[in-house]
Amino acid sequence: MKRARRISVRVWTVRFRKSIAVLAAGAALSLASVGVAPATGATVAEPAGHRPVPVVYDSDLDFDDASTLAFLCQAHKQGRIDLRAVTVVNNGIGTAGRSLTHARTILQKCGLPRVPVADGSPTGVHLAPPEARETFERVLTGALDDAGQPDQPSSVTAAQLIATSVLSSREPVTMLATGPLSNVAAALREQGGVAQKIASLYVMGGAFDVPGNLFGSTTGGFDNTQEVNLWIDPNAADFVFRTMPAERVRIVPLDATNHVMITQAYVDRLGASAHTVEARLVHAILTQPDLPPLIDLDIMFWWDALAATSLVLGPRDDLVQYRPGRVSVVLDGASSGRTIVAPDGTPQLIGYTADGARFEDTFTSTLNGGRH
């Protein structure tokens, strides 16, 4: 963990550029090469009387968001959640247009092509590092084998799809957001009553008592107290935290995700145990040529997947341990995007630690349809 925190912006940038130069000639692994087959109907049913939780997932669809979407697809097929909609922001680490295509590809491969999708094109306050976008675009295009799939704009905006999905549901919806909060903020602004009908909003973002994770060529002049998702659009994050009712936001910050580092040993374990299309898909993503060198640096974590696993297990589970705090976001200056606890903040729930071994077991088991 200490080593990860010492990685500087310069090292991140150099590493991305080296990875681009050295690995560009390598052959990308396709899903066919790792044996991914069409989704089947074999799932693990929930007990009789269980009502799956309605879920809307918003992300910036880079490598760990894509892995998280595969995880949610399997949880949906098991009847643990009801995946109502998938939306993506276009100002995060994912590539605009391609992110929506990748979301559609994942849903198709996992056997859920009818789940509605949409993207949004908000402008973030800070620009995501372009070298990160290039790297993770190569990763997803290689793993999903959808380079020839044309990008097709959605018929509605992400904000409209979020609002419609929430307001039309007979039961309160649980939301998961694992990118900049631009789409969520737009949905809350555009449609009254959305915030009240969200039972819980799980957010992967922020850093409270640990250093931030800024990296790349666009982050100069900042003090690295920020987590990158909320740094990209701090105004949206602050608006969401202040608009949502008290303690309905469960923030999964770096304080918790620092306990779930991605290791090569875990990648090997997942590959050896993969029984489902979702598990094989995640393994395909993790074994693309650009990722192993970054995993070896001890700087890659299951950021988004931890938040999703906490959601699927439910608010009474202690995989991520939360405590209340009055949350505010710094909007300007070198600390722009930093999350803090302040007297004038909004009472929300902050994840301060997580059980890394239990996460790996739960994530693997769920991906495999309830089997290790």
Side-chain angles (χ1 to χ4, degrees):
M1 303 303 297
K2 292 182 180 178
R3 184 183 177 193
R5 293 171 186 169
R6 291 199 299 265
I7 297 296
S8 66
V9 168
R10 181 180 178 185
V11 171
W12 260 98
T13 305
V14 170
R15 192 55 174 164
F16 270 114
R17 288 172 179 169
K18 284 183 179 179
S19 142
I20 290 168
V22 174
L23 299 172
L29 300 178
S30 69
L31 288 179
S33 70
V34 294
V36 175
T40 70
T43 61
V44 176
E46 284 290 321
H50 169 81
R51 296 178 65 89
V53 177
V55 171
V56 172
Y57 179 36
D58 181 72
S59 80
D60 58 353
L61 226 288
D62 65 36
F63 89 96
D64 57 329
D65 308 82
S67 300
T68 296
L69 179 54
F71 169 83
L72 293 175
C73 287
Q74 181 55 232
H76 172 96
K77 288 156 71 173
Q78 294 174 29
R80 303 176 72 174
I81 66 169
D82 178 7
L83 187 59
R84 298 286 180 87
V86 173
T87 58
V88 294
V89 294
N90 287 333
N91 59 5
I93 304 298
T95 300
R98 293 297 298 159
S99 292
L100 188 62
T101 297
H102 294 325
R104 289 182 174 127
T105 299
I106 293 167
L107 291 167
Q108 177 72 40
K109 289 182 179 295
C110 294
L112 300 176
R114 295 184 180 180
V115 173
V117 297
D119 62 350
S121 302
T123 300
V125 174
H126 305 126
L127 181 64
E131 62 271 28
R133 285 181 168 176
E134 293 167 5
T135 297
F136 294 126
E137 173 56 28
R138 280 198 309 276
V139 167
L140 291 184
T141 297
L144 300 174
D145 193 24
D146 62 354
Q149 185 68 29
D151 300 334
Q152 297 180 352
S154 54
S155 58
V156 297
T157 67
Q160 289 170 337
L161 180 55
I162 291 170
T164 300
S165 300
V166 170
L167 294 175
S168 65
S169 176
R170 294 182 179 180
E171 299 174 320
V173 170
T174 295
M175 277 207 66
L176 172 64
T178 61
L181 293 178
S182 312
N183 284 339
V184 180
L188 297 181
R189 287 191 180 102
E190 292 175 13
Q191 292 285 345
V194 172
Q196 294 298 328
K197 285 205 67 177
I198 297 176
S200 293
L201 169 62
Y202 287 74
V203 171
M204 191 283 118
F208 290 86
D209 297 319
V210 299
N213 67 344
L214 297 189
F215 64 92
S217 59
T218 59
T219 59
F222 297 95
D223 61 11
N224 199 34
T225 59
Q226 310 93 326
E227 180 275 328
V228 67
N229 281 343
L230 302 195
W231 168 80
I232 288 173
D233 196 347
N235 293 335
D238 189 63
F239 177 80
V240 169
F241 294 153
R242 292 183 182 280
T243 303
M244 285 292 297
E247 298 193 2
R248 288 205 200 170
V249 180
R250 289 179 175 261
I251 304 170
V252 182
L254 299 183
D255 307 58
T257 63
N258 281 349
H259 295 273
V260 289
M261 182 186 295
I262 301 174
T263 65
Q264 189 58 48
Y266 176 76
V267 176
D268 295 341
R269 173 187 166 194
L270 177 63
S273 66
H275 300 301
T276 65
V277 61
E278 291 82 11
R280 295 187 189 109
L281 192 155
V282 173
H283 186 256
I285 291 171
L286 294 174
T287 52
Q288 288 300 299
D290 284 285
L291 276 185
L294 299 177
I295 291 171
D296 288 344
L297 285 175
D298 295 343
I299 55 176
M300 307 303 282
F301 297 82
W302 285 118
W303 297 288
D304 304 339
L306 179 64
T309 305
S310 180
L311 181 158
V312 169
L313 290 176
R316 296 182 181 178
D317 188 89
D318 64 355
L319 171 68
V320 176
Q321 295 186 28
Y322 299 90
R323 59 189 173 202
R326 291 186 169 273
V327 180
S328 187
V329 181
V330 177
L331 300 180
D332 302 304
S335 297
S336 176
R338 180 183 181 183
T339 47
I340 59 174
V341 175
D344 64 342
T346 303
Q348 302 296 357
L349 298 172
I350 303 168
Y352 62 92
T353 190
D355 186 332
R358 183 162 171 251
F359 163 77
E360 289 188 353
D361 288 343
T362 305
F363 188 61
T364 305
S365 175
T366 303
L367 281 173
N368 279 314
R371 297 180 293 170
H372 286 284

